Each structure stands twice: as C-alpha cells, then as structure tokens.
Amino acid sequence: MTDSPLANQISGNVLFYKQPEPLTPEHHSGLGVKRVDHPFAFVQGSHIVPLTVGEFAPAALSYPIVFVGEPKTPLAVMGLRQGENLYMTPQGDFRPDVYIPGYVRRYPFIYANEQGSDRMILCVDRQADFVTDKFDVAFFEDGKPTEYTQNCVKFCNDFETERQRTTSFVQLLEENDLFDQRTANFTPRNPDGSAGQPQKIADYFAVSEEKLAKLSQKKLAELRDNGALGQIYAHLNSLLGWDRLIAVAMDQAARQPAAANA
C-alpha cells in the first residue's frame, strides 16, 4: 500500500544517498575511498533495503521479502520499525550469517538518468563517509578510471541489468494478477508474560498462493521456464522469516534491560 511505513521510507530521495553527483575526472581526480573498519555502517538506521529479483533466493534465507508502494518495489525487511536494523552489530557490521544486498554493496556509486535524455550516468555520493581526498584508492589516475573504479562501473552495470529484470518480473506478476495486500503484525509480551497489545509492523504486497494455484498449467509452465516460478517460491518461503525477525526483536529487547543493569 502506498501509505505503508515501508513505502514512505523509500519515497523521495534515493535511500542512503545524500549528495550523488556525476563521477568525472574533472571534478573527482583528487578523490577516492579510504579503508574503514565498518563500511556498511550507513545501513544501521534503515530497517529495509531494496532487492533485485536475482537476489531472492539467497536473501530469503535471511529476511522476509515484501513488495511495497505503487511500483511494488521488492524489499528485504531487516527490522520492525524505522531506525532499527536487527541484522547489524552495534559497531555497524552485518552479522556474518546474513546476506548483504547488492544495493548496499554498490554504495557509494549509483546510476542516474541524465536530464533530457535516456542516457544513464554513473554518480558517486560525495557525502559518503569514506569518499575523501585522503584516500587509499583513487577514482582516477592520469585522467583515467583506476581498476577499482572500473570494477565498480561493472558492478553498477550488472546491478542496473538486474534492476531492469526486476521491473519486468514485477510487471509479470501484475499481468497475472498474483499480488495480494497483506499486513504484518506482532503481539509483544508484557513484563508479567501476558500478551500485550497487537502492533502493526507494515502493510505490503505479497504473491497470493491461492491465485498462483489457479493459474493454468500452460501459464505455470511459462513461469517455470522463464525462471519466475523459482523466484516466486523464494519470496513465499521468505515470508516465514517474519517469525524469526520478531523473535530476534524480542530477544534484543529482553537483553537491553539486562545490559542496562549490568
């Protein structure tokens, strides 16, 4: 739903990017990236991260995968409320047992549409903490992209291809009327162990197993042959992760008073 808390967080500016600007040797020849101990610390304040369809299978082992907003953007859900990421350590590292989405790994680079044309231009977030003139690895040498920058360009090209494939995947689900609106809730425990007031986590879209089962054998075979059926089942299996996510949240909440009294 468009008024979902999940949808609200990704509307407007692009998530995580504060000052993206076209990467050019004229403006960035004296810049590069420095090595930092916690390169993904910028994700700590986000409870959702966009996914591409090719990531559904590995991401499903870690997070619920939902679709939100009018474009039905696929997201990995990493927390129950804004500003809370349950899959990161207090120091700003992802837990070693979870999948790190490509959207996160491509940062601080991103492709943007050039105004007045269909051309995509590579941008860098100038306000990223590790983009600096006191770098360990430069963006350019003698006016040419370094090997590091070339590798980042390739990664962004691959990501853009996957992003377009994801758009096609979502369109395919819509064409077959496979989406349902869902609400995720959880019931916290009171200090005395009784059930507390139920709380809504999010409104979102998910594939309806009932609608999927009603598709013709021919249509199901088409979805199987083009790989969409496997991605659909990865998404459906991921929704079992809501219980795991709630359990992690409750465990962390229980540990906080103990830590405060230590």
Side-chain angles (χ1 to χ4, degrees):
M1 299 176 66
T2 55
D3 60 350
S4 164
L6 294 182
N8 290 340
Q9 185 166 334
I10 64 167
S11 63
N13 294 330
V14 181
L15 185 65
F16 303 138
Y17 294 82
K18 299 175 182 177
Q19 187 184 331
E21 53 189 40
L23 182 68
T24 66
E26 291 79 15
H27 294 95
H28 303 97
S29 60
L31 297 176
V33 293
K34 64 179 179 180
R35 295 183 177 88
V36 294
D37 293 333
H38 311 291
F40 301 127
F42 63 91
V43 190
Q44 265 186 312
S46 180
H47 69 308
I48 52 93
V49 171
L51 285 174
T52 59
V53 66
E55 300 178 283
F56 279 20
L61 299 175
S62 302
Y63 319 107
I65 299 170
V66 302
F67 300 84
V68 304
E70 187 63 30
K72 296 184 174 62
T73 303
L75 301 176
V77 183
M78 301 184 180
L80 302 183
R81 56 184 64 87
Q82 292 189 21
E84 169 193 78
N85 192 313
L86 298 172
Y87 291 90
M88 299 194 74
T89 67
Q91 293 75 29
D93 298 311
F94 275 96
R95 285 175 9 200
D97 59 326
V98 301
Y99 176 77
I100 302 176
Y103 187 98
V104 171
R105 287 181 279 122
R106 73 171 176 171
Y107 187 80
F109 298 98
I110 186 173
Y111 269 117
N113 288 313
E114 185 178 35
Q115 290 186 351
S117 76
D118 295 331
R119 192 168 71 94
M120 302 291 288
I121 53 177
L122 184 69
C123 297
V124 63
D125 187 356
R126 186 63 184 84
Q127 288 194 28
D129 290 341
F130 43 85
V131 173
T132 175
D133 57 359
K134 298 178 175 60
F135 51 80
D136 295 305
V137 181
F139 290 146
F140 298 96
E141 288 181 357
D142 299 325
K144 297 181 179 180
T146 60
E147 182 178 359
Y148 165 79
T149 302
Q150 292 177 44
N151 289 336
C152 291
V153 169
K154 182 181 184 306
F155 188 92
C156 287
N157 284 337
D158 293 343
F159 184 90
E160 181 61 21
T161 298
E162 284 299 301
R163 189 191 65 79
Q164 294 175 7
R165 195 164 74 93
T166 302
T167 299
S168 298
F169 173 75
V170 171
Q171 289 174 346
L172 182 63
L173 298 185
E174 292 196 292
E175 288 169 3
N176 287 279
D177 189 27
L178 290 178
F179 282 116
D180 263 350
Q181 293 183 353
R182 305 273 185 91
T183 298
N185 300 292
F186 86 105
T187 302
R189 291 289 177 182
N190 293 320
D192 62 1
S194 61
Q197 187 69 24
Q199 299 179 16
K200 182 168 73 172
I201 303 171
D203 295 316
Y204 64 95
F205 292 97
V207 171
S208 166
E209 292 184 75
E210 181 180 355
K211 291 180 178 179
L212 184 64
K214 291 181 178 179
L215 290 179
S216 67
Q217 290 299 315
K218 179 180 179 181
K219 181 58 67 175
L220 283 172
E222 290 177 2
L223 294 177
R224 179 199 64 206
D225 293 344
N226 65 21
L229 194 59
Q231 307 295 4
I232 289 171
Y233 282 122
H235 153 65
L236 290 173
N237 288 334
S238 81
L239 297 180
L240 299 173
W242 280 119
D243 290 339
R244 181 173 62 249
L245 189 64
I246 292 168
V248 171
M250 295 180 69
D251 179 66
Q252 289 195 11
R255 291 173 183 270
Q256 287 176 355
N261 295 327

